[in-house]
C-alpha cells in the first residue's frame, strides 16, 4: 500500500492505517503499535520490552493526530504496556478539536457547489473542552484564575486523576492556590475526574516546593458545586414572604445544630476515607495505640522493637515515596522486596559472615587501624548492600520489571527499610542487656534506641536506594549492566562502611549528610541519566 493510500485511509479514521503510520516513526522502532476505533474513540496500544515512555509518546501521537485531522476521531485513549504483563502500566486520554471543515473525500461529505458557501463549524469553548477532560483547556482556565500569582500551569489527565504542574517565579502560598484550583475544578464539573495531584515548582528548581492532593469525589465536593451554581432562595421582598406561626412558649432549636456542628453522616461516609492523607493520618495516630492494646501485656522486648521498627519505617517509606515519586510503583513488588530481605536475605548474610573471605574481614572490625576501615567497607558494606539489593535483582531486574532509575530506587529503599526493621529487633536486645548490666546509662539507652529506630532505617534506605538507582540505569544499558550495578554497590558500600567506622564522631554526621545530598542529586539527574544510558546502549549495539 502506497503512502498516499495509507494516509487517505488514516484521514477517514481507519485504525490499522493510523497504527501503521505511528509504527513507521523512528520513535516506535522497538514498540508494537495496535489501534482500534469505536464510537468516536481511537484506542492505541503500545507494547514493548520496557515500559514505553508516556510523556514523549503521548505528545507525539497527539500532535500527529491533530495534523492528520481525522474527522471521526473525537477522543483518543493510549495504553502503554510492558511485554508479558496482563495490565497496562499507564493510560493517557485526550480529546481532539474538530477541524473547521471535514477533509475532501470523507464519506458523506456533500459535493462542492459551483459557488461554494463556507460554513463555519462552531468551535467549542474552553469551558466545554475542559468539562470533557481536555488538559490544555483545563490548564488555560487555571492559568487565568492564577494569573495574579504569576503561575503557569501544565495539565495531564490519567485514569480519572488530573496531574498539575504549577510553576512560578516565587513559591506561592499553598492553601490559597489549593482553594482557587479546587473552586475552579468544581465549577467546571469535569467528567470522570475523581482526584487532583498538584506539584508546585519555583522556576529553575528541579524539586517541587510543595505537593498537594485533592479528592473531588466526596459528597462535600458535590455540595460545593451545588452551592456555587445555585441561585438565591428568593428575590422577592421580605414583606411578601409567608410568615410561619411559632409557639411563643417554645424556642425552636437551630436547624443546623447537628448537621453542621456534628456532621456525623459525613464522618461515617466511605468517601471520606478515599483520601490518602486521611488514611495516613489515621494510620500514624492509631497504629501505636492499637499495638499497645494487642501486645500491651506482653513483655517481649523484641516484639516491641519490631512494632516500632515497622512504624517508623512506614513513615520513612511515605516520605521517600513523596520525594522519589516512582512512576511504576506496585505495593506487591515492594512487599516482596521487604519480606525477602527480612526472612531470606538477612539469614543468608549471617551465613556468609562465617565463610572466607568475609569472616577474615569481620575479624578486623574491632581493631583500631586501617584494617578495620577495609573490613567495614569490604565486609559489612558490601555484604549488607548485596543483601538489600538481592530481591531487586531476583524479582525485578531479571524479569525486566525495572524500567527507570526512580522506580528501582524506591524498591531499593523499601528493601533497606525491611533490613532496618529486622536489624532493629536484634540490636534492641543488646541495648537492653547493656542497660540491665549497667554498661549503658538510661539516657544513652533512650538515645541509641531513637537512633536505631528512627535514623538508621533512613540511612539503610538511602544506601540501598542508591544501589537501586544504578540497577535502574543498568536496565536501560544492559550491555554494561554489571559495571553499572557494581558502581552503585561500590558507592553505597563505601559510604556505609565509612559511617560505621566514624559513627561516633562528627565525620559520621558529615558522611550521612553527604549520602542524603548525593541521593537527592541522583534523583534530580535521573531523567538526564536515563536518556544517556539509552543512547549509550544504542551506540554500543550500532
Amino acid at each position: 500500500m502506497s503512502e498516499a493510500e495509507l494516509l487517505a485511509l488514516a484521514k477517514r479514521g481507519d485504525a490499522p492505517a493510523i497504527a501503521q503510520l505511528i509504527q513507521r516513526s523512528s520513535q516506535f522502532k522497538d514498540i508494537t503499535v495496535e489501534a482500534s476505533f469505536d464510537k468516536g474513540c481511537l484506542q492505541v496500544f503500545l507494547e514493548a520490552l520496557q515500559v514505553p515512555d508516556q510523556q514523549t509518546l503521548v505528545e507525539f501521537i497527539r500532535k500527529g493526530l491533530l495534523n492528520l485531522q481525522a474527522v471521526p476521531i473525537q477522543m483518543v485513549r493510549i495504553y502503554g504496556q510492558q511485554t508479558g504483563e496482563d495490565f497496562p502500566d499507564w493510560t493517557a486520554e485526550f480529546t481532539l478539536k474538530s477541524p473547521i471543515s471535514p477533509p475532501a473525500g470523507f464519506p458523506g461529505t456533500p459535493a462542492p457547489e459551483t459557488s461554494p458557501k463556507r460554513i463555519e463549524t462552531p468551535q467549542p469553548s474552553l469551558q466545554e473542552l475542559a468539562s470533557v477532560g481536555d488538559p490544555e483547556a483545563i490548564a488555560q482556565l487555571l492559568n487565568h484564575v492564577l494569573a495574579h500569582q504569576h503561575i503557569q500551569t501544565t495539565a495531564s489527565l490519567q485514569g480519572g486523576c488530573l496531574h498539575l504542574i504549577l510553576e512560578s517565579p516565587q513559591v506561592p502560598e499553598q492553601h490559597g492556590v489549593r482553594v482557587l484550583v479546587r473552586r475552579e475544578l468544581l465549577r467546571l464539573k469535569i467528567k470522570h475526574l475523581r482526584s487532583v495531584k498538584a506539584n508546585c515548582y519555583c522556576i529553575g528548581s528541579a524539586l517541587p516546593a510543595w505537593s498537594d492532593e485533592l479528592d473531588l469525589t466526596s459528597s462535600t465536593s458535590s455540595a460545593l458545586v451545588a452551592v456555587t451554581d445555585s441561585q438565591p432562595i428568593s428575590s422577592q421582598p421580605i414583606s411578601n414572604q409567608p410568615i410561619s406561626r411559632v409557639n411563643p412558649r417554645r424556642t425552636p432549636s437551630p436547624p443546623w445544630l447537628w448537621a453542621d456542628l456534628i456532621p456525623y453522616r459525613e464522618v461515617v461516609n466511605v468517601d471520606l476515607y478515599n483520601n490518602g492523607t486521611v488514611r495516613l493520618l489515621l494510620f500514624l495516630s492509631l497504629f501505636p495505640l492499637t499495638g499497645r492494646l494487642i501486645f500491651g501485656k506482653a513483655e517481649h522486648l523484641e516484639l516491641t522493637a519490631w512494632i516500632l521498627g515497622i512504624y517508623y519505617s512506614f513513615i520513612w517509606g511515605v516520605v521517600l515515596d513523596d520525594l522519589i515519586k516512582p512512576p511504576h510503583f506496585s505495593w506487591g513488588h515492594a512487599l516482596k522486596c521487604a519480606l525477602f530481605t527480612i526472612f531470606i536475605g538477612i539469614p543468608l548474610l549471617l551465613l556468609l559472615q562465617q565463610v572466607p573471605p568475609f569472616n577474615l574481614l569481620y575479624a578486623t572490625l574491632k581493631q583500631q587501624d586501617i584494617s578495620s576501615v577495609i573490613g567495614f567497607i569490604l565486609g559489612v558494606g558490601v555484604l549488607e548492600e548485596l543483601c538489600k539489593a538481592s530481591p531487586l535483582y531476583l524479582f525485578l531486574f531479571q524479569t525486566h520489571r525495572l524500567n527507570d532509575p526512580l522506580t528501582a530506587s524506591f524498591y531499593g529503599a523499601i528493601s533497606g527499610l525491611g533490613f532496618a526493621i529486622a536489624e532493629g529487633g536484634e540490636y534492641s536486645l543488646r541495648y537492653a542487656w547493656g542497660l540491665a548490666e549497667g554498661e549503658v546509662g538510661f539516657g544513652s539507652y533512650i538515645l541509641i534506641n531513637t537512633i536505631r529506630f528512627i535514623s538508621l532505617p533512613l540511612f539503610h534506605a538511602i544506601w540501598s536506594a542508591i544501589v537501586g538507582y544504578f540497577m535502574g540505569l543498568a536496565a536501560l544499558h544492559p550491555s554494561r549492566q554489571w559495571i553499572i550495578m557494581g558502581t552503585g554497590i561500590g558507592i553505597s558500600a563505601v559510604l556505609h562502611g565509612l559511617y560505621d567506622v566514624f559513627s561516633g564522631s562528627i565525620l559520621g554526621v558529615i558522611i550521612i549528610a553527604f549520602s542524603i545530598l548525593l541521593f537527592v542529586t541522583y534523583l534530580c539527574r535521573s531523567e538526564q541519566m536515563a536518556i544517556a544510558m539509552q543512547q549509550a546502549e544504542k551506540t554500543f549495539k550500532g
Side-chain angles (χ1 to χ4, degrees):
M1 183 182 297
S2 67
E3 185 78 19
E5 293 173 331
L6 188 64
L7 188 59
L9 284 174
K11 285 180 175 293
R12 291 176 170 85
D14 185 85
I18 294 174
Q20 288 188 50
L21 287 176
I22 296 173
Q23 188 77 74
R24 291 185 179 186
S25 171
S26 60
Q27 296 194 42
F28 295 84
K29 180 180 179 182
D30 300 320
I31 301 174
T32 302
V33 183
E34 296 181 2
S36 63
F37 186 75
D38 182 33
K39 297 180 181 179
C41 180
L42 177 68
Q43 299 187 84
V44 182
F45 303 88
L46 310 178
E47 184 174 315
L49 291 176
Q50 297 179 358
V51 178
D53 178 61
Q54 178 179 354
Q55 184 175 359
T56 303
L57 300 183
V58 168
E59 183 62 18
F60 177 86
I61 294 174
R62 189 186 70 83
K63 290 182 178 179
L65 291 174
L66 285 173
N67 293 331
L68 183 65
Q69 293 189 341
V71 172
I73 302 175
Q74 301 172 4
M75 180 171 290
V76 181
R77 189 175 293 118
I78 305 175
Y79 303 89
Q81 183 170 336
Q82 186 177 12
T83 303
E85 292 291 331
D86 297 326
F87 300 98
D89 293 278
W90 55 262
T91 304
E93 185 176 295
F94 56 86
T95 57
L96 290 178
K97 298 177 182 178
S98 301
I100 292 177
S101 59
F106 181 74
T109 303
E113 302 174 359
T114 308
S115 299
K117 187 182 292 184
R118 179 165 181 164
I119 301 175
E120 296 289 344
T121 303
Q123 296 295 309
S125 65
L126 280 178
Q127 286 79 5
E128 292 172 335
L129 291 171
S131 66
V132 295
D134 187 319
E136 291 186 1
I138 295 171
Q140 289 187 46
L141 291 172
L142 290 177
N143 282 336
H144 178 71
V145 172
L146 302 172
H148 66 287
Q149 298 195 38
H150 307 288
I151 297 176
Q152 286 296 317
T153 308
T154 305
S156 63
L157 189 62
Q158 301 172 18
C161 180
L162 179 66
H163 296 263
L164 300 176
I165 296 178
L166 311 174
E167 293 184 297
S168 178
Q170 295 181 347
V171 180
E173 196 270 324
Q174 182 176 355
H175 177 71
V177 173
R178 175 190 177 93
V179 171
L180 292 174
V181 170
R182 183 185 182 91
R183 185 176 63 188
E184 180 67 12
L185 294 177
L186 290 173
R187 185 185 68 82
L188 292 173
K189 299 181 183 178
I190 302 170
K191 295 180 180 179
H192 310 301
L193 180 62
R194 297 189 299 272
S195 61
V196 181
K197 293 184 178 179
N199 291 311
C200 184
Y201 292 81
C202 186
I203 294 176
S205 175
L207 294 176
W210 53 260
S211 300
D212 209 338
E213 184 173 349
L214 303 176
D215 183 6
L216 301 179
T217 61
S218 64
S219 57
T220 304
S221 300
S222 302
L224 284 174
V225 174
V227 171
T228 304
D229 296 338
S230 64
Q231 299 297 323
I233 295 175
S234 175
S235 59
Q236 299 178 1
I238 296 177
S239 59
N240 294 335
Q241 299 295 325
I243 301 174
S244 60
R245 298 181 180 272
V246 180
N247 186 348
R249 297 182 180 179
R250 182 178 177 183
T251 303
S253 59
W256 43 259
L257 180 61
W258 292 108
D260 292 339
L261 295 185
I262 309 177
Y264 57 92
R265 287 191 179 91
E266 294 182 15
V267 170
V268 297
N269 192 335
V270 177
D271 291 336
L272 180 63
Y273 309 100
N274 291 331
N275 186 292
T277 303
V278 173
R279 292 198 298 267
L280 179 62
L281 185 66
L282 288 172
F283 173 84
L284 295 179
S285 59
L286 299 182
F287 185 87
L289 299 176
T290 306
R292 185 178 67 174
L293 291 176
I294 297 175
F295 305 108
K297 295 181 179 180
E299 306 235 345
H300 203 300
L301 179 60
E302 190 171 5
L303 177 61
T304 304
W306 274 79
I307 294 174
L308 290 175
I310 293 172
Y311 180 71
Y312 288 114
S313 293
F314 183 88
I315 295 175
W316 283 126
V318 172
V319 172
L320 290 172
D321 175 61
D322 185 67
L323 176 66
I324 300 172
K325 294 181 174 58
H328 310 294
F329 168 68
S330 163
W331 276 112
H333 293 330
L335 191 61
K336 281 194 294 187
C337 289
L339 293 178
F340 182 93
T341 300
I342 292 172
F343 296 107
I344 298 177
I346 290 180
L348 185 61
L349 168 69
L350 297 176
L351 179 64
L352 290 175
Q353 289 177 359
Q354 310 303 319
V355 300
F358 295 109
N359 61 342
L360 300 177
L361 291 169
Y362 271 78
T364 66
L365 300 184
K366 294 184 179 180
Q367 299 182 18
Q368 302 296 323
D369 52 30
I370 191 63
S371 62
S372 66
V373 178
I374 297 173
F376 273 111
I377 293 175
L378 299 182
V380 177
V382 170
L383 264 188
E384 292 192 3
E385 295 309 321
L386 285 174
C387 168
K388 293 182 287 184
S390 56
L392 275 72
Y393 180 79
L394 294 174
F395 298 138
L396 302 173
F397 187 87
Q398 281 196 323
T399 57
H400 305 289
R401 297 179 186 274
L402 293 184
N403 307 294
D404 65 273
L406 294 182
T407 301
S409 177
F410 185 72
Y411 286 137
I414 293 296
S415 179
L417 291 174
F419 185 95
I421 291 171
E423 189 180 55
E426 176 188 352
Y427 275 88
S428 63
L429 292 177
R430 299 186 186 182
Y431 301 152
W433 292 334
L435 178 64
E437 295 176 2
E439 297 177 358
V440 177
F442 191 72
S444 297
Y445 175 76
I446 294 176
L447 182 59
I448 57 178
N449 268 302
T450 300
I451 295 172
R452 175 60 59 182
F453 289 125
I454 299 179
S455 301
L456 286 177
L458 175 63
F459 304 163
H460 276 295
I462 291 294
W463 293 323
S464 55
I466 291 175
V467 176
Y469 177 88
F470 277 86
M471 291 181 74
L473 295 178
L476 300 175
H477 191 9
S479 301
R480 292 286 186 270
Q481 62 183 24
W482 295 111
I483 296 175
I484 297 171
M485 286 191 291
T487 302
I489 292 173
I491 292 172
S492 292
V494 170
L495 293 173
H496 188 159
L498 289 177
Y499 171 75
D500 286 348
V501 173
F502 301 108
S503 59
S505 67
I506 189 63
L507 280 177
V509 177
I510 294 173
I511 292 168
I512 288 298
F514 178 80
S515 300
I516 295 173
L517 296 176
L518 176 66
F519 173 62
V520 174
T521 304
Y522 283 145
L523 297 182
C524 295
R525 293 172 52 86
S526 62
E527 186 175 352
Q528 177 184 347
M529 290 298 297
I531 295 173
M533 289 295 156
Q534 290 172 332
Q535 292 176 345
E537 180 66 16
K538 290 180 181 178
T539 303
F540 183 85
K541 288 184 176 180

